[in-house]
Amino acid sequence: MTNAESNLLLESGLPIFFGIGNWDELGLALPDNRHGQTVRTWARSLTVMQKEAIVVSVRSGKAWRLASDEGPYLDGFDSAPCPLSFLTTGMVSSYMNEIRALANQRDIAINDIALVQDNFYTMEGSALRGTMVGGALPVELEIRIDADAADDTLNELVVDAVAASPLNGLMRKAHRSLFTLTMNSEVIGAGEVGEIDGPAEPDPGDRFRLIRPGAHRGPDLIERTEAVEATHGVAGGAGTSLEATQSRKLHIRGTCRLRDDGVKEIVQELYSPLGSTFRFLSDETAEFGGTGAAPDAASYISAGIAFCFMTQLGRYAKIVKKNLDEYRVIQDTHFSVGGASGRTGRPGIADAVETHVYLDTPEGEEFARKTLTMGEQTCFLHAFCRTDLKTTIKINRL
């Protein structure tokens, strides 16, 4: 297994997060833009818990280098946000997009607004016995708003905006994620998980060493604002998420506000397990009212799903003490544009997540398939996809 002896994210010499300036030189293929907002993510492991990704919006052509790490609860370096924070960030950013766009279309003046979103997940069972399962629970969304509208008008606005979010299509229907599996450069059957109806994408190899940052001005796209202390012997403390048998509930919060320039600023707080606080910036491209100054909502959501799945691959191999030298994925997420921001007037839709998995291991096909099965089974965000979820709404006036 990859050994986390050094902090490769900090030692690379590159910023941890940046817009890719030479995307056209990487020679990477893109899928069809199936519903209007397809995102392809190439991700690879650096250490057991550190991952990096090239995330590209097929619609806009914008490409970002994003990275994820874990905190003390998984013996990570805490150099980048955990995977769950990316989905929470993208989700609350998407809700902000749709609320503002729909308010504009309905001539509702919003003087001030902040969104507070809480995501909850579960982990139950034994990794060694193969019974460990990740779960996702309903989302709680609080809208803090000062607007020139009656209460019933605001409630209707928010309910319709939540339904218009592209993520609505992933939440309001159970989607079984689909996979292909390649072990040591040979395509093998994916086993118990759902299989993609088509060939495996060719492994692109190491294109990460070729990427270069584009021109960037302004604050960092993502930065840690408060570091958690490694605390042993407490719930959610150091090493607890590596325990072979678990029964726990996770809680992550994202608070989204607007800067004066219209860029969304999201503060992510990880309450359980005990994690650090990170600040994200998110922006849409010009056709959706932004300037493309930061990753869009769909790119953050897509990166989060890939990062969470990869964490579970590495975590499982670490728990069962098997060699998993490297692991990579090509992941496609297919969303519609927002019903309000894209002016379709329809609820958001999405397809099942499609992931091509590449494992380098001397442990054989049975282990490779079991790792894929356990990765999907314990991944919180694939659980999010396969669960019919609702977002509960609370509106408080400022």
Side-chain angles (χ1 to χ4, degrees):
M1 166 169 315
T2 310
N3 195 346
E5 294 179 348
S6 57
N7 190 336
L8 298 183
L9 283 176
L10 295 187
E11 295 174 3
S12 69
L14 291 172
I16 295 180
F17 313 100
F18 56 85
I20 297 174
N22 63 333
W23 156 248
D24 293 341
E25 301 173 8
L26 301 183
L28 294 170
L30 293 176
D32 292 337
N33 192 13
R34 192 178 296 171
H35 299 303
Q37 197 166 199
T38 289
V39 179
R40 173 160 281 189
T41 301
W42 291 265
R44 70 169 180 173
S45 62
L46 295 174
T47 66
V48 177
M49 297 304 163
Q50 289 189 340
K51 287 81 63 177
E52 66 175 339
I54 299 169
V55 186
V56 185
S57 167
V58 176
R59 184 182 184 92
S60 70
K62 296 281 288 187
W64 303 92
R65 192 267 198 162
L66 301 175
S68 180
D69 199 356
E70 302 284 356
Y73 50 88
L74 274 171
D75 293 344
F77 284 106
D78 204 28
S79 296
C82 69
L84 296 179
S85 64
F86 287 86
L87 183 130
T88 293
T89 291
M91 189 174 181
V92 75
S93 176
S94 178
Y95 286 155
M96 182 69 85
N97 293 340
E98 300 310 306
I99 290 172
R100 295 178 67 217
L102 195 57
N104 183 61
Q105 292 165 23
R106 295 180 179 179
D107 294 323
I108 298 172
I110 296 178
N111 306 311
D112 194 9
I113 186 171
L115 306 185
V116 181
Q117 178 179 303
D118 291 284
N119 288 82
F120 303 93
Y121 305 92
T122 59
M123 185 71 81
E124 301 283 346
S126 166
L128 296 177
R129 293 195 296 270
T131 61
M132 185 175 286
V133 178
L137 300 175
V139 179
E140 297 178 2
L141 178 67
E142 178 188 359
I143 296 88
R144 300 172 181 174
I145 190 168
D146 176 10
D148 300 334
D151 289 351
D152 57 347
T153 300
L154 284 182
N155 185 73
E156 184 179 10
L157 169 72
V158 173
V159 169
D160 291 347
V162 166
S165 167
L167 198 62
N168 175 73
L170 205 58
M171 293 179 63
R172 298 314 316 277
K173 179 181 177 182
H175 293 276
R176 187 187 187 197
S177 299
L178 304 174
F179 300 88
T180 66
L181 178 59
T182 299
M183 185 192 78
N184 301 335
S185 302
E186 180 181 351
V187 178
I188 62 176
E192 298 178 19
V193 300
E195 291 205 49
I196 293 173
D197 184 16
E201 286 286 327
D203 187 346
D206 180 12
R207 306 296 175 93
F208 288 87
R209 61 184 176 83
L210 303 176
I211 61 176
R212 299 289 180 267
H216 174 69
R217 296 179 181 178
D220 291 338
L221 298 175
I222 303 172
E223 63 177 355
R224 189 176 65 183
T225 58
E226 184 177 345
V228 68
E229 293 186 9
T231 306
H232 295 266
V234 299
T240 54
S241 296
L242 284 170
E243 294 172 357
T245 300
Q246 297 188 18
S247 178
R248 59 191 177 97
K249 181 178 179 180
L250 294 83
H251 178 198
I252 185 168
R253 171 175 290 176
T255 301
C256 181
R257 294 181 174 88
L258 293 170
R259 301 193 318 186
D260 291 342
D261 60 1
V263 174
K264 294 174 290 295
E265 183 175 272
I266 299 97
V267 175
Q268 166 263 300
E269 299 168 278
L270 183 58
Y271 295 125
S272 179
L274 302 177
S276 294
T277 299
F278 287 83
R279 190 271 296 143
F280 291 71
L281 298 180
S282 182
D283 195 22
E284 301 299 314
T285 53
E287 62 183 320
F288 298 123
T291 63
D296 62 316
S299 292
Y300 275 133
I301 291 166
S302 302
I305 297 170
F307 285 147
C308 187
F309 174 67
M310 294 188 71
T311 289
Q312 302 310 320
L313 297 178
R315 190 177 71 96
Y316 175 71
K318 187 177 180 72
I319 288 173
V320 298
K321 300 180 180 178
K322 296 288 188 178
N323 291 317
L324 182 58
D325 300 320
E326 292 185 18
Y327 39 108
R328 302 169 299 284
V329 303
I330 297 176
Q331 175 195 277
D332 293 332
T333 48
H334 299 279
F335 300 103
S336 64
V337 297
S341 62
R343 304 189 73 86
T344 68
R346 296 190 295 269
I349 62 172
D351 287 347
V353 177
E354 300 172 357
T355 308
H356 303 272
V357 181
Y358 312 89
L359 305 181
D360 294 341
T361 176
E363 303 287 353
E365 292 187 11
E366 182 178 353
F367 167 72
R369 292 192 181 95
K370 187 64 174 180
T371 299
L372 173 55
T373 298
M374 292 302 296
E376 189 279 336
Q377 183 174 305
T378 59
C379 176
F380 302 110
L381 299 189
H382 281 287
F384 184 96
C385 297
R386 64 175 178 261
T387 306
D388 187 355
L389 294 169
K390 293 183 178 180
T391 298
T392 62
I393 295 167
K394 179 170 66 175
I395 299 175
N396 288 320
R397 288 187 181 270
L398 294 173

